[in-house]
Amino acid sequence: MISAEVSLQLSPEVAAIVEESLIPEAEHPRSQRSNVEIKAEKEKLVISMEASDVTALRAAFNSYLRWVEAIVNVVDSVS
């Protein structure tokens, strides 16, 4: 197993929205090759991952970072 973690600086409100939006994906992944945990902590969002190999880790991180970007863009556009 290989693991990594990323911490993104976001307002507490946006971090909570992103966390809530991504929990269903983390709880029911499309692939069993990676496991993801998402936590909103004060002014940051922490995404922790474990994967069976580097390729799966990279793919999962790319997906989650794109989803975070999309959610933040939507929140910004409706605020």
Side-chain angles (χ1 to χ4, degrees), residues 2-20:
I2 186 167
S3 63
E5 182 175 283
V6 65
S7 178
L8 305 169
Q9 292 297 123
L10 300 170
S11 72
E13 296 83 14
V14 173
I17 290 168
V18 173
E19 177 188 36
E20 182 110 3

Side-chain angles (χ1 to χ4, degrees), residues 20-54:
E20 182 110 3
S21 299
L22 293 179
I23 283 177
E25 184 65 35
E27 289 177 347
H28 304 287
R30 294 181 189 186
S31 169
Q32 298 302 314
R33 293 175 60 199
S34 62
N35 183 33
V36 179
E37 185 178 317
I38 300 165
K39 288 189 240 172
E41 299 176 350
K42 295 185 183 179
E43 293 187 357
K44 65 182 178 179
L45 180 78
V46 179
I47 302 173
S48 304
M49 292 192 177
E50 275 190 342
S52 58
D53 55 75
V54 174

